[in-house]
Amino acid sequence: MREKDFVAGEYSGPFLDGKVTYRSPSNIALVKYWGKKEHQVPANPSVSFTLDTSATTTTLSYTKLAAPGKDFSFELLFEGKPKPDFKPKIHTFFSRIAPYMPFLKSYHFVIETSNSFPHSSGIASSASGMSALALCLMHLEKELQPGMDEIYFKTKASFLARLGSGSAARSITGPLMQWGQHQDTEGSSDLYAITYPHKIHEVFEGYQDTILLVDKGQKQVSSTVGHNLMHGHPFAEQRFKQAHDNLSELRRVFAEGDLPKFIEIVESEALTLHAMMMSSLPYFMLMKPNTLHIINKIWEFRAATKLHVCFTLDAGANVHVLYPASEKELILQFIKDELIVYCENGQYLCDQIGKGAVAL
Ligand code: DP6
């Protein structure tokens, strides 16, 4: 689909008041999105595991206005309380999606949102939050366009979510999602994510992600600022090419269940992401000493046991520990015995690969 396919046509359904709830998961990138062009177009394609228990639940209540307003009309409640500091982000989101959803100024919205993960855990909620809101808005648009099919619904939800936060495009379905145009994947697009269409070996069923909360504080540099530092970055072109190559290689790895190669690509992607931050101008570092202690412990344990445990990182100090379900018992014990000590207040979250967002 092209951009113009997402501009809404005539609305034939009635403009009713209503309410809808979606629960949308977070996701963890294996090949990282880092660097973007205008309009949230990624500089390279990425692929992610959709998560299961780490999720945002959003209820959107909508009331038709007597006449369309000059500006967007909405209230925002986070975990039951008004949250004025989230409002500018939602306002920007509405402004970006308004060309594709002309009904937005005809309603007053109440957005009630909550996360399954603890407040200020250092886990980014933009992917799960923006995708949940995009899905709620698509529910309303489907009422106005009753003939809309399921594929268009999900594709446009991903398209809209991307305009809120790039990684949110990948939180619609599962178990793996690919976002960004790539030569080996017909139907892949910079405008939205698709369900990973190639073969996935059964070793990835129920794949585990234990998230170690190393640092729950506010990040010094936001993802948005970090992405922008890829403009004029001395290693940018090589990095974008590497992401394309890693996606090509992962196609065979996913199909064959080649875990040693999977581990190599995933860890290399995580370290490259942070290497890009460290070699930007201005340079910055989001890993903490405990991030490095955990990485070294994982490497020692893997060398000693030959178990298939590896790590990845997002744009922060927390560590995602990835491993197959069949090795869960031994690896979870290792995590509890040797890694939790490096977490802030001993906090960690157990998650696994998931199927995507659901309407409640
Ligand atoms: C390191 O999606 O948070 O997690 O598009 O500016 O909202 P914006 O950025 P965001 O960036 C995520 C970066 C990442 C890698 C990834 O998820 O692919």
Side-chain angles (χ1 to χ4, degrees):
M1 281 182 240
R2 283 168 301 170
E3 197 228 305
K4 67 176 176 44
D5 298 318
F6 298 109
V7 178
E10 285 283 294
Y11 291 140
S12 60
F15 280 63
L16 301 172
D17 296 351
K19 193 173 179 172
V20 58
T21 303
Y22 264 90
R23 181 181 191 277
S24 193
S26 185
N27 69 76
I28 180 68
L30 305 169
V31 171
K32 307 290 181 182
Y33 147 56
W34 197 244
K36 61 178 161 181
K37 304 172 199 163
E38 248 196 315
H39 307 301
Q40 297 282 101
V41 168
N44 64 260
S46 57
V47 68
S48 53
F49 277 157
T50 302
L51 296 182
D52 182 29
T53 54
S54 307
T56 297
T57 300
T58 296
T59 298
L60 180 75
S61 307
Y62 42 97
T63 315
K64 176 86 168 59
L65 298 169
K70 281 210 173 64
D71 200 357
F72 307 110
S73 171
F74 66 99
E75 293 160 58
L76 191 75
L77 299 174
F78 178 67
E79 280 159 13
K81 297 194 193 83
K83 190 79 181 160
D85 35 325
F86 282 6
K87 281 192 94 172
K89 199 159 185 191
I90 303 292
H91 193 276
T92 304
F93 176 55
F94 279 157
S95 312
R96 287 183 189 165
I97 66 171
Y100 310 99
M101 291 203 136
F103 64 80
L104 283 177
K105 286 187 181 159
S106 301
Y107 285 91
H108 174 70
F109 297 107
V110 180
I111 305 163
E112 292 168 80
T113 183
S114 61
N115 294 331
S116 66
F117 36 88
H119 186 48
S120 58
S121 56
I123 301 219
S125 59
S126 64
S128 51
M130 286 298 174
S131 55
L133 181 55
L135 285 158
C136 289
L137 291 166
M138 282 309 294
H139 167 92
L140 169 51
E141 186 161 84
K142 191 169 190 299
E143 284 187 351
L144 304 173
Q145 272 181 341
M148 187 188 295
D149 69 40
E150 190 65 17
I151 294 182
Y152 183 82
F153 183 99
K154 288 193 169 144
T155 309
K156 185 163 174 180
S158 174
F159 173 89
L160 298 172
R162 177 194 113 245
L163 293 172
S165 179
S167 54
R170 299 186 313 239
S171 274
I172 307 293
T173 63
L176 262 89
M177 290 207 84
Q178 182 173 329
W179 169 42
Q181 220 277 319
H182 186 257
Q183 59 166 18
D184 296 350
T185 306
E186 208 186 315
S188 59
S189 171
D190 286 344
L191 301 180
Y192 49 85
I194 56 171
T195 311
Y196 188 72
H198 308 301
K199 187 168 178 250
I200 306 170
H201 191 274
E202 64 201 21
V203 75
F204 294 105
E205 272 170 34
Y207 221 78
Q208 301 290 301
D209 180 4
T210 304
I211 309 166
L212 305 180
L213 306 178
V214 170
D215 182 40
K216 303 191 292 164
Q218 188 80 25
K219 286 189 288 191
Q220 303 114 305
V221 182
S222 73
S223 290
T224 305
V225 171
H227 285 292
N228 285 333
L229 292 174
M230 288 303 281
H231 292 292
H233 190 293
F235 308 135
E237 285 319 306
Q238 193 55 37
R239 157 61 198 153
F240 301 147
K241 181 182 177 305
Q242 179 197 40
H244 280 267
D245 294 347
N246 281 342
L247 260 168
S248 298
E249 179 102 49
L250 275 176
R251 181 165 172 178
R252 184 195 60 75
V253 166
F254 283 136
E256 294 176 7
D258 180 349
L259 289 183
K261 194 70 197 175
F262 173 80
I263 289 170
E264 185 181 288
I265 292 173
V266 167
E267 291 190 345
S268 161
E269 276 286 325
L271 294 178
T272 301
L273 167 70
H274 285 259
M276 290 300 114
M277 300 174 190
M278 289 190 253
S279 47
S280 304
L281 275 178
Y283 42 80
F284 62 106
M285 197 187 286
L286 298 180
M287 290 189 286
K288 297 280 179 190
N290 282 348
T291 312
L292 298 183
H293 284 307
I294 289 169
I295 291 173
N296 280 308
K297 283 278 177 193
I298 289 173
W299 284 343
E300 276 169 33
F301 178 78
R302 191 166 73 222
T305 62
K306 310 283 178 248
L307 290 171
H308 299 97
V309 58
C310 71
F311 70 87
T312 188
L313 308 166
D314 53 19
N318 295 336
V319 183
H320 290 248
V321 187
L322 303 178
Y323 47 99
S326 61
E327 298 177 10
K328 181 174 172 179
E329 210 182 318
L330 288 170
I331 295 174
L332 196 54
Q333 197 55 49
F334 154 70
I335 292 173
K336 288 180 186 161
D337 291 346
E338 301 206 36
L339 303 186
I340 298 310
V341 53
Y342 300 111
C343 297
E344 201 173 330
N345 304 324
Q347 276 190 290
Y348 65 103
L349 302 168
C350 289
D351 210 335
Q352 60 186 341
I353 199 163
K355 294 196 184 75
V358 283
L360 298 180

